[in-house]
Amino acid sequence: MTNVLIILTHAENVRQRYYDGIKARFPSITLNVVDHHSKARPYLASADALLTFGTMTYDRLIDDAPRLRWIQALGTGIDGITDLPSFRSDIAVTNIRGIHGAPMSEAALVAMLALSRNLPRAIRAQDRHSWERWPSRLLDHATIGIFGIGAIAEALAPRCKALGMTVVGISSVKRTVAGFDRIFARDELLDAVRDLDFLVILTPYSAETKNAVDETVFAAMKPSAYVINLARGGVVDEGALVKALDQERIAGAALDVFATEPLPADHPLWGRKNVVITSHLGGLYDRYVDDAMPTIEHNLRCFLADDMKGMINMVGH
């Protein structure tokens, strides 16, 4: 009997959709679901496969799962999985790719519009029943820099062009990409950000990108520019960001991801009028489970057939 464990902190109805979808396709497996890793240990001991997000694991998870042979990351990121101190090289890791372009692009557009039109101020005024008016900044003729050019950035760029924006890319590999007006290499980041109105961060977290957006980057940006982080919290030096906001080196930020999640209640980013905070919602949308299920089903069939080479979206083994 194959034992599969799902660790998922999402709402109960989302966990149930994963459970129902997998169980309907694979009625013979033993499938368990927990809503937090603190409840996983009784099931990890016998788990052959694990489905989770890297943000929902813990350091010694692999030590508690001696039978584990495969982890299906439920998002694109594998940080929090392959960088676990207990990770074993004999464990196959696959992820979900190709479904995040639309939701993440829309998250970036919402963030840019919210900042440029000062939507938080409007909501606060509504809470006070206060009629206030002010001019908005336009996305039309603004310049966006997208740090990290993958499938999501390639979906976002033409949407920005449709709104009349100039689109600049920052990539580890300098190349021509459709929808981008200019491409900078990662080591040209300081030059790339100087003329931006928005810096949207989409690059994966790694040793190379840890704190890549730091004090020097904020110092190079225009005081009227905004930072939007939809990637991973560790890509942005949060201490430097707070300092840049305090010193008005940038106009504000929209942040969906943080170095520590959930964001601690006493964190200095809370309560700032020029910061929009969302709770890692960028890639979360109503059809996510349905869109992720074909990858999960294919890989689980391969796993049950001991055909690891047939798996798709393999990112580690």
Side-chain angles (χ1 to χ4, degrees):
M1 181 71 71
T2 298
N3 292 278
V4 178
L5 173 64
I6 302 174
I7 302 176
L8 191 64
T9 61
H10 293 344
E12 170 61 28
N13 67 315
V14 177
R15 291 193 297 273
Q16 192 65 46
R17 287 176 64 191
Y18 278 107
Y19 180 91
D20 292 343
I22 294 171
K23 199 64 177 175
R25 293 165 173 83
F26 304 94
S28 65
I29 68 170
T30 298
L31 183 62
N32 292 293
V33 184
V34 295
D35 61 6
H36 192 266
H37 63 67
S38 62
K39 303 176 183 178
R41 191 164 297 175
Y43 306 104
L44 282 169
S46 60
D48 301 293
L50 172 66
L51 281 65
T52 192
F53 289 89
T55 55
M56 301 178 186
T57 61
Y58 63 98
D59 285 353
R60 307 315 308 177
L61 181 146
I62 307 299
D63 289 341
D64 294 331
R67 290 177 42 173
L68 193 64
R69 294 195 297 125
W70 167 49
I71 300 175
Q72 172 68 63
L74 295 175
T76 56
I78 57 171
D79 51 299
I81 295 176
T82 57
D83 57 353
L84 289 175
S86 56
F87 186 75
R88 300 192 308 265
S89 60
D90 63 327
I91 297 175
V93 179
T94 54
N95 68 356
I96 302 293
R97 292 202 295 268
I99 69 172
H100 299 88
M104 292 291 282
S105 292
E106 292 184 18
L109 293 171
V110 165
M112 288 190 289
L113 288 166
L115 291 168
S116 63
R117 291 187 168 269
N118 206 342
L119 185 60
R121 178 180 173 183
I123 293 172
R124 287 193 296 270
Q126 179 180 348
D127 288 341
R128 299 192 306 270
H129 299 190
S130 176
W131 183 267
E132 300 177 17
R133 303 181 72 229
W134 57 88
S136 297
R137 292 172 57 179
L138 296 181
L139 299 190
D140 183 42
H141 289 93
T143 299
I144 177 178
I146 304 175
F147 183 14
I149 303 179
I152 296 170
E154 291 175 2
L156 173 59
R159 289 167 165 84
C160 294
K161 294 294 292 181
L163 292 172
M165 304 184 78
T166 297
V167 183
V168 173
I170 303 106
S171 175
S172 58
V173 179
K174 197 170 182 178
R175 64 196 193 279
T176 301
V177 182
F180 287 81
D181 296 288
R182 295 189 301 278
I183 301 288
F184 290 85
R186 188 184 293 166
D187 60 8
E188 299 175 305
L189 179 59
L190 295 184
D191 291 328
V193 302
R194 295 188 193 283
D195 296 322
L196 300 182
D197 297 296
F198 298 93
L199 173 61
V200 176
I201 302 163
L202 294 175
T203 190
Y205 177 78
S206 66
E208 291 74 29
T209 61
K210 180 179 180 181
N211 289 337
V213 181
D214 59 11
E215 187 172 2
T216 62
V217 174
F218 297 128
M221 297 179 71
K222 299 187 299 186
S224 59
Y226 296 104
V227 172
I228 297 168
N229 190 7
L230 298 170
R232 285 290 188 269
V235 178
V236 174
D237 182 334
E238 289 180 358
L241 174 59
V242 170
K243 185 176 179 181
L245 291 166
D246 286 343
Q247 297 179 352
E248 298 184 352
R249 293 183 187 175
I250 59 173
L255 308 170
D256 188 53
V257 289
F258 304 89
T260 299
E261 295 184 5
L263 186 66
D266 60 350
H267 197 285
L269 286 169
W270 285 112
R272 291 178 177 270
K273 293 183 178 180
N274 59 345
V275 175
V276 176
I277 290 177
T278 49
S279 306
H280 207 141
L281 300 176
L284 188 61
Y285 62 101
D286 53 354
R287 302 195 308 267
Y288 193 96
V289 178
D290 297 332
D291 291 348
M293 195 57 67
T295 297
I296 296 170
E297 179 179 359
H298 174 89
N299 285 343
L300 187 48
R301 290 195 187 282
C302 289
F303 182 74
L304 294 174
D306 200 24
D307 177 22
M308 309 298 274
K309 292 183 178 180
M311 288 181 168
I312 56 175
N313 299 351
M314 184 74 74
V315 290
H317 195 290

